[in-house]
Amino acid sequence: MRTSRTRTRTEAYFRPDPGRLLRPLLAGAATAVAMTGAVLALLDSASPLRAPFTLFFLLTAPAAAIAAALRGLEPYGRTLTALAGAIAVNMLVAQVMLAVHRWSVRGGVAAVAVLSLLLLLPIPLRERISGKRTQK
């Protein structure tokens, strides 16, 4: 006879704990906020949400790309390295734009987006070459 405290595998699959569903929900919300910030900056909107959402995009886009590339590290080390790398990417973009006298918010957001995408490109290629997926 089964007690109320033990659950079968089927029950565990169909009744996930609430914390398990929170992570994807927060990731989706963060992606929506970041993309909204990028769009508001590129459209040169006068919205009061433009500055904080754009700043969120400028920090999270390169950080997410760097964190995805560093899957082998422990979570805290990966987070710290990704944030430091994001700050370095933003400073590099600002320094180059100021050096060539082409500073603009729209250009900076576009440059950070392109660099973040370029940082993400080798990940599927690395998985295809090695023939296996890396651990999360």
Side-chain angles (χ1 to χ4, degrees), residues 88-129:
V89 166
N90 286 316
M91 288 174 44
L92 175 71
V93 167
Q95 197 72 23
V96 168
M97 290 179 78
L98 287 171
V100 297
H101 303 288
R102 296 287 181 202
W103 173 253
S104 73
V105 175
R106 296 163 98 180
V109 169
V112 167
V114 167
L115 283 175
S116 297
L117 286 174
L118 288 176
L119 286 170
L120 281 173
L121 283 179
I123 296 169
L125 185 64
R126 179 180 60 191
E127 290 174 356
R128 178 175 280 170
I129 289 172

Side-chain angles (χ1 to χ4, degrees), residues 37-59:
V39 168
L40 287 174
L42 291 174
L43 294 178
D44 203 20
S45 173
S47 171
L49 296 175
R50 176 183 168 195
F53 283 12
T54 303
L55 179 63
F56 187 74
F57 170 78
L58 290 174
L59 286 176

Side-chain angles (χ1 to χ4, degrees), residues 7-77:
R7 295 191 322 192
T8 64
R9 292 179 106 175
T10 306
E11 289 173 346
Y13 179 76
F14 287 113
R15 290 188 183 184
D17 59 343
R20 195 171 153 206
L21 296 176
L22 186 62
R23 217 170 175 185
L25 180 68
L26 290 176
T31 303
V33 169
M35 290 299 114
T36 302
V39 168
L40 287 174
L42 291 174
L43 294 178
D44 203 20
S45 173
S47 171
L49 296 175
R50 176 183 168 195
F53 283 12
T54 303
L55 179 63
F56 187 74
F57 170 78
L58 290 174
L59 286 176
T60 57
I66 293 170
L70 299 175
R71 285 190 174 172
L73 291 179
E74 293 182 17
Y76 293 120

